[in-house]
Amino acid sequence: LKARQGLPLQRKQHRMALVNVTNVEILENPAKFTDPFKLQITFDCVSPGIKEELEWKLVYVGSAHSEEHDQTLDTVLVGPVAVGRSTFVFKAPPPDMKKIPDKDLMDVTVILLTCHYKEKEFVRVGYYVNNFCDNEEFRKQYTDAEGKFTRSPPIEMVKRNIAASQPRVTRFDIPWDNVQQKIVMDDYSGLGDGNSNFSMLEDENSAQSNAMDTN
């Protein structure tokens, strides 16, 4: 996915948003390709809080080479948001297989969890996804010497495994209800709970970056 990976990243001091995602747990993983995605999301809202709803989206990157095949699996509004810690389960349908190029179906891809406030994205969490065939007979019959499939397996044979322990987090500065509502935090605050093992890897500012921004 190098063609979609934006700027190189580095650790640095950054500013915390009024809403800070502290953990994302991928539920029921591995799963069948046709199973819904289930993510348990935990976030903190710091004082003085926010006035509007949060918009969460889950995007499946259908091809590393073009946004044309990206699919927004679902969007959910969460609110009103109280000051303190909140947890909810985001359930989204699987991607439409017909919209994924055949050559990319069994490749490593990415899902992107994003959150917006007043239509401005302020956090993006990316996970690598490995789609694989769990039928040994089919793999032996339809893979070449390099291990690549010569034909796509039936969808019922395809499973996915999300690299839940290796998320990449990108934050964006946005105006909240008051542009002065910013709190300085260091590199190691907040993230790292539970199964998500969040890595605080940040790009410069990049609302233009389209996929998971990792090295």
Side-chain angles (χ1 to χ4, degrees):
L1 297 171
K2 295 295 183 182
R4 298 280 304 278
Q5 287 180 351
L7 299 173
L9 307 179
Q10 57 185 347
R11 282 188 182 275
K12 56 179 175 292
Q13 190 178 47
H14 53 84
R15 294 182 180 273
M16 185 180 72
L18 290 182
V19 175
N20 181 37
V21 179
T22 58
N23 193 54
V24 178
E25 182 178 354
I26 308 296
L27 305 179
E28 300 179 14
N29 182 53
K32 295 179 181 179
F33 184 88
T34 53
D35 286 345
F37 289 87
K38 295 180 182 178
L39 294 79
Q40 181 171 288
I41 301 167
T42 302
F43 65 91
D44 290 338
C45 180
V46 301
S47 182
I50 58 176
K51 299 177 181 179
E52 305 292 337
E53 295 175 312
L54 297 174
E55 182 182 34
W56 299 83
K57 295 181 181 181
L58 187 64
V59 176
Y60 185 92
V61 176
S63 173
H65 309 292
S66 171
E67 293 181 51
E68 178 186 355
H69 304 289
D70 290 1
Q71 298 182 48
T72 298
L73 303 182
D74 207 352
T75 300
V76 63
L77 296 176
V78 174
V81 177
V83 171
R85 177 157 293 187
S86 300
T87 300
F88 73 100
V89 173
F90 187 179
K91 183 178 178 180
D96 184 347
M97 183 179 178
K98 297 176 183 177
K99 296 180 180 179
I100 302 172
D102 288 343
K103 63 184 180 62
D104 293 315
L105 176 63
M106 303 304 294
D107 204 353
V108 174
T109 188
V110 162
I111 56 170
L112 300 171
L113 173 68
T114 67
C115 192
H116 299 69
Y117 184 68
K118 293 183 176 179
E119 300 184 349
K120 300 289 186 182
E121 180 183 3
F122 65 90
V123 66
R124 177 182 306 173
V125 185
Y127 293 92
Y128 285 112
V129 182
N130 179 34
N131 294 323
F132 63 96
C133 176
D134 68 346
N135 186 292
E136 185 176 358
E137 183 178 343
F138 187 93
R139 290 199 307 269
K140 287 181 178 179
Q141 186 173 356
Y142 295 107
T143 54
D144 59 22
E146 297 180 351
K148 295 185 179 297
F149 283 97
T150 56
R151 59 173 288 187
S152 295
I155 193 63
E156 61 269 16
M157 294 183 184
V158 180
K159 290 190 175 180
R160 66 167 184 259
N161 186 23
I162 301 171
S165 64
Q166 300 175 329
R168 291 296 180 265
V169 181
T170 306
R171 296 184 185 279
F172 308 92
D173 278 337
I174 66 167
W176 296 81
D177 297 315
N178 180 334
V179 294
Q180 300 302 317
Q181 292 176 352
K182 293 182 179 178
I183 302 173
V184 175
M185 84 172 183
D186 62 36
D187 276 334
Y188 303 100
S189 298
L191 300 181
D193 301 332
N195 293 332
S196 74
N197 190 25
F198 273 16
S199 299
M200 287 307 300
L201 296 179
E202 308 260 348
D203 70 7
E204 275 298 322
N205 180 16
S206 225
Q208 296 179 354
S209 97
N210 296 312
M212 193 164 72
D213 297 316
T214 64
N215 289 323

